[in-house]
């Protein structure tokens, strides 16, 4: 396992096959293996990672179940097209969050938030209990306390938005809120310091909170949409600049 341990990877898993799943999953998401060229053969990959072929096969089955790989007789293992990946699988989301500097992932994620989050705020204004509102208000207070401390912003911002998803009392939205945390962490980091969007967005965080507390779903949805549009505008501009070769 020397080759496997030499690369940094968070110790989320304990079994050897699971460690291999993490290692290969991250490499696939990062683009280390070309769909056109396929993966190395089983003997080659086993030797590279310092593991048995049985362990490798277990890991391959897991990655195939997540839509990342396909295995065909006489052809071998190949990376599937990204459109076929299970991008809401918790592990796949985590690997995307570890993928160094893929601006497009964050851009796609914010587009998804633009569709989902305003409706979560709408439902929260209709359904939130007094305890839910107290949690949202406490999350807002903690977020405001992060001014001048950018390293604290991602965790506090995620907690604020997840408290709204939870207050929607929609099981699917609550689940999506938990799945999105790793990608949201990356998006917040990308948009906090370069654009100063954190400080600019605090008044809108407060307006969303107040609308939910007043049980005003229309205003909660409106302010939530304005809030999530702020990082989208920045990421949209940066992504297209990158595509045109204007950014490194």
């Amino acid at each position: 396992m020397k080759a496997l341990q030499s690369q940094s990877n968070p110790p989320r898993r304990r079994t050897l096959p699971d460690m291999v799943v993490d290692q290969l999953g991250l490499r696939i998401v990062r683009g280390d293996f070309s769909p056109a060229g396929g993966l190395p053969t089983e003997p080659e990959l086993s030797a590279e990672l310092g593991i048995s072929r049985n362990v490798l096969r277990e890991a391959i089955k897991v990655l195939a179940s997540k839509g990342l790989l396909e295995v065909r007789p006489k052809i071998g293992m190949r990376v599937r097209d990204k459109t076929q990946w299970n991008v809401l699988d918790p592990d796949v989301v985590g690997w995307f969050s570890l993928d160094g500097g893929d601006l497009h992932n964050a851009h796609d994620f914010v587009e998804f938030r633009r569709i989902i989050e305003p409706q979560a705020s709408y439902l929260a204004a209709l359904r939130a209990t007094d305890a839910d509102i107290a949690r949202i208000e406490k999350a807002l207070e903690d977020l405001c306390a992060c001014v001048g401390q950018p390293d604290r912003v991602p965790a506090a911002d995620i907690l604020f938005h997840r408290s709204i998803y939870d207050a929607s009392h929609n099981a699917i939205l609550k689940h999506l809120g938990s799945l999105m945390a790793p990608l949201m962490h990356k998006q917040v980091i990308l948009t906090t310091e370069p654009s100063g969007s954190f400080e600019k967005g605090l008044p809108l965080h407060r307006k969303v909170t107040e609308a939910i507390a007043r049980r005003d779903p229309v205003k909660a949805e409106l302010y939530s949409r304005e809030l999530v549009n702020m990082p989208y505008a920045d990421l949209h501009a940066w992504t297209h600049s990158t595509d045109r070769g204007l950014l490194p």
Side-chain angles (χ1 to χ4, degrees):
M1 284 295 295
K2 179 182 288 188
L4 191 59
Q5 292 173 341
S6 66
Q7 300 192 35
S8 61
N9 207 28
R12 297 184 297 118
R13 302 172 179 271
R14 288 180 286 183
T15 69
L16 182 56
D18 285 342
M19 291 175 64
V20 177
V21 168
D22 269 339
Q23 186 77 357
L24 291 179
L26 178 57
R27 291 174 67 181
I28 291 169
V29 168
R30 198 166 54 200
D32 291 358
F33 303 112
S34 167
L39 272 70
T41 64
E42 275 190 8
E44 292 171 338
L45 205 49
S46 297
E48 177 188 339
L49 298 177
I51 58 175
S52 70
R53 292 175 68 175
N54 285 338
V55 169
L56 178 62
R57 286 169 184 165
E58 286 187 53
I60 295 301
K61 287 179 182 178
V62 173
L63 292 169
S65 73
K66 298 177 186 295
L68 272 68
L69 291 179
E70 63 178 346
V71 183
R72 294 183 179 180
K74 299 182 180 180
I75 295 179
M77 300 175 287
R78 290 186 178 274
V79 177
R80 302 182 74 184
D81 187 85
K82 283 187 178 182
T83 58
Q84 298 174 303
W85 295 0
N86 183 359
V87 294
L88 290 182
D89 179 280
D91 287 330
V92 179
V93 171
W95 296 327
F96 270 124
S97 73
L98 292 170
D99 172 25
D102 189 345
L103 200 58
H104 290 272
N105 291 338
H107 179 261
D108 289 349
F109 171 64
V110 176
E111 285 189 330
F112 178 75
R113 283 185 63 198
R114 292 176 78 211
I115 298 168
I116 299 299
E117 197 157 306
Q119 186 62 24
S121 298
Y122 182 96
L123 292 176
L126 289 177
R127 301 173 177 174
T129 64
D130 290 344
D132 291 329
I133 292 173
R135 280 191 290 270
I136 296 171
E137 290 175 337
K138 178 60 167 61
L140 173 66
E141 180 183 331
D142 292 343
L143 189 61
C144 291
C146 295
V147 173
Q149 303 180 68
D151 57 312
R152 293 179 52 196
V153 172
D157 202 30
I158 289 168
L159 185 61
F160 174 82
H161 291 281
R162 284 193 63 177
S163 68
I164 293 175
Y165 279 85
D166 290 345
S168 74
H169 289 274
N170 178 291
I172 295 176
L173 286 174
K174 290 176 69 174
H175 184 58
L176 286 174
S178 65
L179 289 180
M180 293 193 304
L183 277 174
M184 187 170 178
H185 184 273
K186 178 178 181 178
Q187 176 246 295
V188 172
I189 290 174
L190 281 171
T191 57
T192 295
E193 293 187 33
S195 65
S197 63
F198 169 61
E199 286 80 4
K200 289 187 295 184
L202 280 178
L204 280 172
H205 283 83
R206 186 172 299 280
K207 286 183 177 181
V208 172
T209 301
E210 291 173 348
I212 292 173
R214 292 195 310 268
R215 318 286 184 181
D216 186 339
V218 175
K219 287 294 180 62
E221 180 180 18
L222 172 65
Y223 294 139
S224 178
R225 191 174 306 282
E226 291 181 12
L227 180 59
V228 80
N229 274 340
M230 291 181 64
Y232 176 76
D234 291 333
L235 286 168
H236 184 75
W238 297 338
T239 300
H240 285 70
S241 295
T242 303
D243 290 340
R244 296 193 302 268
L246 300 180
L247 293 178

